[in-house]
Amino acid sequence: MKKALIIAALTASVCQSAVADPMAVHQTAQALFAQLPDVEARADLNAACGGGANSNPHIGYCASNNTIFVSDDFATRPQASYEMAHVLGHAIQVRHGIADVALRAIRNRRSEEDALRGMVTRQVDCVAGVLMASAGLAPADLNQLFATEPFTDAHWGRQPINSGPRVTVGLAARTQWYDIGYTAHNFAVCSVGEMSSDLIVAALR
């Protein structure tokens, strides 16, 4: 019942605003993959999963309890569908083994951490593109939606989320990989360097 009320409230907000449909992305992802998080709106995101000054003020994936927390006004924002798809990309990586592969590589090769996290991030944006295409939504123009690169703050990880990874790859790279996923409409194209998409494809229902 709680989940249904949350989804109904967010969907109603979307219909009123007519600017985004993040719950369509979420429902599509849950239809494609098992074990994905539910969504919970919170007036204070910092209280939800240990957020703080370094955290995204609108959305965060808390791996500790497998929940995506969003701000009360999240669904009214034109960026919301892409942001939901991006965070779901992280959740898919966490729930289906890619995050474990990345963490092992990072621990073994600390000098290459930035490059490895960059591969993870590019794959997430590719997955986001596939999810939005699968939801039947128009492609997001990241250059129109964001004046600067999004998601360079902490927006996923175990509690406290404020200590989660903060990665920058540039808006052009995010746009490139989002477009690759959206255009192909196929998770198989989302292999980035050492971050293979094989586990993602294998996890499809």
Side-chain angles (χ1 to χ4, degrees), residues 64-103:
S64 297
N65 58 19
N66 195 34
T67 302
I68 293 174
F69 294 103
V70 298
S71 61
D72 283 339
D73 66 343
F74 172 73
T76 68
R77 302 166 55 258
Q79 303 93 333
S81 294
Y82 162 74
E83 290 172 340
M84 178 65 74
H86 177 96
V87 171
L88 282 163
H90 284 296
I92 290 166
Q93 287 179 328
V94 169
R95 302 303 293 177
H96 296 291
I98 298 91
D100 292 334
V101 172
L103 183 58

Short mmCIF file of all heavy atoms in Angstrom, two decimals, residues 64-103:
data_model
loop_
_atom_site.label_atom_id
_atom_site.label_comp_id
_atom_site.label_asym_id
_atom_site.label_seq_id
_atom_site.Cartn_x
_atom_site.Cartn_y
_atom_site.Cartn_z
N SER A 64 22.16 0.71 0.82
CA SER A 64 22.03 0.03 2.11
C SER A 64 20.64 -0.56 2.31
O SER A 64 20.49 -1.63 2.89
CB SER A 64 22.33 1.00 3.26
OG SER A 64 23.67 1.45 3.21
N ASN A 65 19.61 0.13 1.85
CA ASN A 65 18.26 -0.43 1.97
C ASN A 65 17.54 -0.53 0.63
O ASN A 65 16.33 -0.73 0.58
CB ASN A 65 17.42 0.40 2.96
CG ASN A 65 17.30 1.85 2.57
OD1 ASN A 65 17.54 2.21 1.41
ND2 ASN A 65 16.94 2.69 3.52
N ASN A 66 18.30 -0.41 -0.45
CA ASN A 66 17.77 -0.58 -1.80
C ASN A 66 16.54 0.30 -2.04
O ASN A 66 15.47 -0.19 -2.43
CB ASN A 66 17.45 -2.04 -2.10
CG ASN A 66 17.27 -2.32 -3.58
OD1 ASN A 66 17.93 -1.70 -4.42
ND2 ASN A 66 16.40 -3.25 -3.92
N THR A 67 16.71 1.59 -1.82
CA THR A 67 15.63 2.54 -2.01
C THR A 67 16.16 3.77 -2.75
O THR A 67 17.27 4.22 -2.49
CB THR A 67 15.04 3.00 -0.65
OG1 THR A 67 14.57 1.86 0.06
CG2 THR A 67 13.88 3.97 -0.85
N ILE A 68 15.37 4.28 -3.68
CA ILE A 68 15.66 5.57 -4.30
C ILE A 68 14.84 6.62 -3.58
O ILE A 68 13.61 6.54 -3.53
CB ILE A 68 15.32 5.56 -5.80
CG1 ILE A 68 16.26 4.61 -6.55
CG2 ILE A 68 15.43 6.97 -6.39
CD1 ILE A 68 15.90 4.42 -8.02
N PHE A 69 15.53 7.59 -2.99
CA PHE A 69 14.87 8.70 -2.32
C PHE A 69 14.84 9.90 -3.25
O PHE A 69 15.84 10.20 -3.91
CB PHE A 69 15.60 9.06 -1.03
CG PHE A 69 15.53 7.97 0.02
CD1 PHE A 69 16.61 7.15 0.27
CD2 PHE A 69 14.37 7.79 0.75
CE1 PHE A 69 16.55 6.15 1.23
CE2 PHE A 69 14.29 6.79 1.72
CZ PHE A 69 15.39 5.97 1.96
N VAL A 70 13.71 10.58 -3.30
CA VAL A 70 13.57 11.78 -4.13
C VAL A 70 12.98 12.90 -3.29
O VAL A 70 12.28 12.66 -2.30
CB VAL A 70 12.69 11.52 -5.37
CG1 VAL A 70 13.31 10.47 -6.27
CG2 VAL A 70 11.27 11.15 -4.98
N SER A 71 13.25 14.13 -3.71
CA SER A 71 12.67 15.28 -3.05
C SER A 71 11.19 15.38 -3.38
O SER A 71 10.71 14.81 -4.37
CB SER A 71 13.40 16.56 -3.47
OG SER A 71 13.28 16.75 -4.87
N ASP A 72 10.45 16.12 -2.55
CA ASP A 72 9.01 16.24 -2.77
C ASP A 72 8.67 16.83 -4.13
O ASP A 72 7.64 16.49 -4.73
CB ASP A 72 8.39 17.11 -1.67
CG ASP A 72 8.24 16.36 -0.35
OD1 ASP A 72 8.24 15.12 -0.37
OD2 ASP A 72 8.15 17.02 0.70
N ASP A 73 9.52 17.73 -4.63
CA ASP A 73 9.24 18.38 -5.92
C ASP A 73 9.96 17.71 -7.09
O ASP A 73 9.96 18.24 -8.20
CB ASP A 73 9.64 19.86 -5.86
CG ASP A 73 11.15 20.05 -5.69
OD1 ASP A 73 11.86 19.08 -5.32
OD2 ASP A 73 11.64 21.18 -5.92
N PHE A 74 10.53 16.55 -6.86
CA PHE A 74 11.38 15.91 -7.87
C PHE A 74 10.68 15.76 -9.22
O PHE A 74 11.22 16.13 -10.27
CB PHE A 74 11.83 14.53 -7.37
CG PHE A 74 12.55 13.71 -8.40
CD1 PHE A 74 13.84 14.02 -8.78
CD2 PHE A 74 11.93 12.63 -9.02
CE1 PHE A 74 14.52 13.29 -9.75
CE2 PHE A 74 12.59 11.89 -9.98
CZ PHE A 74 13.88 12.22 -10.34
N ALA A 75 9.47 15.21 -9.22
CA ALA A 75 8.80 14.86 -10.47
C ALA A 75 8.33 16.07 -11.26
O ALA A 75 7.92 15.92 -12.41
CB ALA A 75 7.61 13.93 -10.18
N THR A 76 8.37 17.25 -10.67
CA THR A 76 7.93 18.45 -11.40
C THR A 76 9.04 19.05 -12.23
O THR A 76 8.81 20.01 -12.97
CB THR A 76 7.43 19.52 -10.41
OG1 THR A 76 8.54 20.02 -9.63
CG2 THR A 76 6.36 18.96 -9.50
N ARG A 77 10.25 18.50 -12.14
CA ARG A 77 11.41 19.09 -12.80
C ARG A 77 11.63 18.43 -14.16
O ARG A 77 11.51 17.21 -14.29
CB ARG A 77 12.65 18.92 -11.91
CG ARG A 77 12.47 19.58 -10.54
CD ARG A 77 13.53 19.16 -9.53
NE ARG A 77 14.86 19.41 -10.05
CZ ARG A 77 15.64 18.46 -10.56
NH1 ARG A 77 15.25 17.21 -10.58
NH2 ARG A 77 16.83 18.78 -11.01
N PRO A 78 11.98 19.19 -15.21
CA PRO A 78 12.15 18.60 -16.54
C PRO A 78 13.29 17.59 -16.62
O PRO A 78 13.32 16.75 -17.52
CB PRO A 78 12.41 19.81 -17.44
CG PRO A 78 12.87 20.89 -16.53
CD PRO A 78 12.16 20.66 -15.23
N GLN A 79 14.22 17.66 -15.67
CA GLN A 79 15.35 16.73 -15.66
C GLN A 79 14.99 15.38 -15.04
O GLN A 79 15.80 14.44 -15.08
CB GLN A 79 16.52 17.32 -14.85
CG GLN A 79 17.02 18.67 -15.34
CD GLN A 79 16.34 19.81 -14.61
OE1 GLN A 79 15.22 19.68 -14.13
NE2 GLN A 79 17.02 20.96 -14.54
N ALA A 80 13.80 15.26 -14.46
CA ALA A 80 13.51 14.13 -13.58
C ALA A 80 13.58 12.77 -14.26
O ALA A 80 14.05 11.80 -13.67
CB ALA A 80 12.13 14.33 -12.94
N SER A 81 13.09 12.66 -15.50
CA SER A 81 13.10 11.35 -16.17
C SER A 81 14.53 10.86 -16.38
O SER A 81 14.85 9.69 -16.09
CB SER A 81 12.37 11.44 -17.50
OG SER A 81 11.01 11.70 -17.31
N TYR A 82 15.40 11.75 -16.86
CA TYR A 82 16.80 11.36 -17.03
C TYR A 82 17.45 11.03 -15.69
O TYR A 82 18.17 10.04 -15.57
CB TYR A 82 17.59 12.47 -17.73
CG TYR A 82 19.08 12.31 -17.53
CD1 TYR A 82 19.79 11.32 -18.21
CD2 TYR A 82 19.77 13.11 -16.61
CE1 TYR A 82 21.15 11.14 -18.00
CE2 TYR A 82 21.13 12.94 -16.40
CZ TYR A 82 21.81 11.96 -17.09
OH TYR A 82 23.16 11.77 -16.87
N GLU A 83 17.19 11.86 -14.69
CA GLU A 83 17.81 11.62 -13.38
C GLU A 83 17.37 10.28 -12.79
O GLU A 83 18.18 9.54 -12.23
CB GLU A 83 17.46 12.77 -12.43
CG GLU A 83 18.15 14.07 -12.81
CD GLU A 83 17.68 15.25 -12.00
OE1 GLU A 83 16.58 15.19 -11.41
OE2 GLU A 83 18.41 16.26 -11.96
N MET A 84 16.10 9.94 -12.94
CA MET A 84 15.62 8.64 -12.47
C MET A 84 16.30 7.52 -13.24
O MET A 84 16.74 6.51 -12.66
CB MET A 84 14.10 8.55 -12.63
CG MET A 84 13.50 7.21 -12.21
SD MET A 84 13.68 6.86 -10.44
CE MET A 84 12.46 7.98 -9.76
N ALA A 85 16.41 7.67 -14.56
CA ALA A 85 17.04 6.63 -15.38
C ALA A 85 18.50 6.46 -15.00
O ALA A 85 19.01 5.33 -14.93
CB ALA A 85 16.91 6.99 -16.86
N HIS A 86 19.20 7.56 -14.74
CA HIS A 86 20.61 7.49 -14.36
C HIS A 86 20.78 6.75 -13.04
O HIS A 86 21.62 5.83 -12.93
CB HIS A 86 21.19 8.90 -14.25
CG HIS A 86 22.61 8.93 -13.81
ND1 HIS A 86 23.68 9.01 -14.68
CD2 HIS A 86 23.16 8.90 -12.56
CE1 HIS A 86 24.81 9.00 -14.00
NE2 HIS A 86 24.52 8.95 -12.71
N VAL A 87 20.01 7.12 -12.04
CA VAL A 87 20.14 6.49 -10.73
C VAL A 87 19.74 5.02 -10.80
O VAL A 87 20.35 4.16 -10.14
CB VAL A 87 19.32 7.27 -9.68
CG1 VAL A 87 19.26 6.51 -8.36
CG2 VAL A 87 19.94 8.65 -9.45
N LEU A 88 18.75 4.69 -11.61
CA LEU A 88 18.40 3.28 -11.82
C LEU A 88 19.55 2.52 -12.47
O LEU A 88 19.74 1.33 -12.20
CB LEU A 88 17.14 3.17 -12.67
CG LEU A 88 15.83 3.43 -11.92
CD1 LEU A 88 14.70 3.69 -12.91
CD2 LEU A 88 15.49 2.26 -11.00
N GLY A 89 20.32 3.20 -13.32
CA GLY A 89 21.50 2.56 -13.90
C GLY A 89 22.47 2.11 -12.81
O GLY A 89 23.02 1.00 -12.86
N HIS A 90 22.68 2.96 -11.81
CA HIS A 90 23.53 2.57 -10.68
C HIS A 90 22.91 1.39 -9.93
O HIS A 90 23.63 0.46 -9.54
CB HIS A 90 23.71 3.74 -9.73
CG HIS A 90 24.67 4.79 -10.21
ND1 HIS A 90 26.01 4.53 -10.41
CD2 HIS A 90 24.48 6.10 -10.52
CE1 HIS A 90 26.61 5.64 -10.82
NE2 HIS A 90 25.71 6.59 -10.91
N ALA A 91 21.60 1.43 -9.73
CA ALA A 91 20.94 0.34 -9.01
C ALA A 91 21.08 -0.98 -9.76
O ALA A 91 21.31 -2.04 -9.15
CB ALA A 91 19.47 0.68 -8.79
N ILE A 92 20.96 -0.95 -11.08
CA ILE A 92 21.14 -2.16 -11.88
C ILE A 92 22.55 -2.69 -11.73
O ILE A 92 22.78 -3.90 -11.57
CB ILE A 92 20.79 -1.88 -13.36
CG1 ILE A 92 19.29 -1.65 -13.51
CG2 ILE A 92 21.26 -3.01 -14.26
CD1 ILE A 92 18.88 -1.04 -14.83
N GLN A 93 23.53 -1.80 -11.74
CA GLN A 93 24.93 -2.22 -11.54
C GLN A 93 25.11 -2.86 -10.17
O GLN A 93 25.78 -3.88 -10.04
CB GLN A 93 25.86 -1.03 -11.69
CG GLN A 93 26.06 -0.53 -13.10
CD GLN A 93 26.99 0.66 -13.15
OE1 GLN A 93 27.05 1.47 -12.23
NE2 GLN A 93 27.74 0.78 -14.24
N VAL A 94 24.53 -2.26 -9.15
CA VAL A 94 24.68 -2.77 -7.78
C VAL A 94 23.98 -4.10 -7.62
O VAL A 94 24.56 -5.07 -7.07
CB VAL A 94 24.13 -1.75 -6.76
CG1 VAL A 94 24.04 -2.37 -5.36
CG2 VAL A 94 25.03 -0.52 -6.70
N ARG A 95 22.76 -4.21 -8.07
CA ARG A 95 21.94 -5.40 -7.82
C ARG A 95 22.35 -6.59 -8.68
O ARG A 95 22.02 -7.73 -8.35
CB ARG A 95 20.46 -5.09 -8.06
CG ARG A 95 19.90 -3.95 -7.21
CD ARG A 95 20.07 -4.17 -5.73
NE ARG A 95 19.27 -5.28 -5.24
CZ ARG A 95 19.27 -5.72 -3.99
NH1 ARG A 95 20.07 -5.16 -3.09
NH2 ARG A 95 18.51 -6.72 -3.64
N HIS A 96 23.10 -6.32 -9.77
CA HIS A 96 23.39 -7.42 -10.70
C HIS A 96 24.89 -7.59 -10.98
O HIS A 96 25.27 -8.12 -12.01
CB HIS A 96 22.59 -7.24 -11.98
CG HIS A 96 21.11 -7.32 -11.74
ND1 HIS A 96 20.48 -8.49 -11.37
CD2 HIS A 96 20.14 -6.36 -11.73
CE1 HIS A 96 19.19 -8.27 -11.18
NE2 HIS A 96 18.97 -6.97 -11.40
N GLY A 97 25.73 -7.15 -10.03
CA GLY A 97 27.12 -7.57 -10.01
C GLY A 97 28.15 -6.67 -10.63
O GLY A 97 29.35 -6.86 -10.41
N ILE A 98 27.74 -5.68 -11.42
CA ILE A 98 28.74 -4.83 -12.09
C ILE A 98 29.48 -3.97 -11.08
O ILE A 98 30.69 -3.75 -11.20
CB ILE A 98 28.08 -3.95 -13.16
CG1 ILE A 98 27.45 -4.81 -14.26
CG2 ILE A 98 29.12 -3.02 -13.80
CD1 ILE A 98 26.01 -5.16 -14.01
N ALA A 99 28.78 -3.49 -10.07
CA ALA A 99 29.43 -2.67 -9.05
C ALA A 99 30.51 -3.46 -8.31
O ALA A 99 31.56 -2.91 -7.95
CB ALA A 99 28.40 -2.12 -8.06
N ASP A 100 30.27 -4.76 -8.10
CA ASP A 100 31.28 -5.60 -7.44
C ASP A 100 32.51 -5.75 -8.31
O ASP A 100 33.65 -5.72 -7.83
CB ASP A 100 30.70 -6.98 -7.13
CG ASP A 100 29.63 -6.93 -6.06
OD1 ASP A 100 29.66 -6.00 -5.22
OD2 ASP A 100 28.76 -7.82 -6.06
N VAL A 101 32.31 -5.93 -9.61
CA VAL A 101 33.43 -6.01 -10.55
C VAL A 101 34.25 -4.73 -10.51
O VAL A 101 35.49 -4.75 -10.44
CB VAL A 101 32.92 -6.28 -11.98
CG1 VAL A 101 34.06 -6.17 -13.00
CG2 VAL A 101 32.26 -7.65 -12.07
N ALA A 102 33.56 -3.60 -10.54
CA ALA A 102 34.24 -2.31 -10.53
C ALA A 102 35.00 -2.09 -9.23
O ALA A 102 36.14 -1.62 -9.23
CB ALA A 102 33.22 -1.19 -10.73
N LEU A 103 34.38 -2.46 -8.10
CA LEU A 103 35.03 -2.24 -6.80
C LEU A 103 36.29 -3.07 -6.67
O LEU A 103 37.31 -2.59 -6.16
CB LEU A 103 34.05 -2.57 -5.67
CG LEU A 103 34.57 -2.31 -4.26
CD1 LEU A 103 34.97 -0.86 -4.08
CD2 LEU A 103 33.50 -2.72 -3.23
#
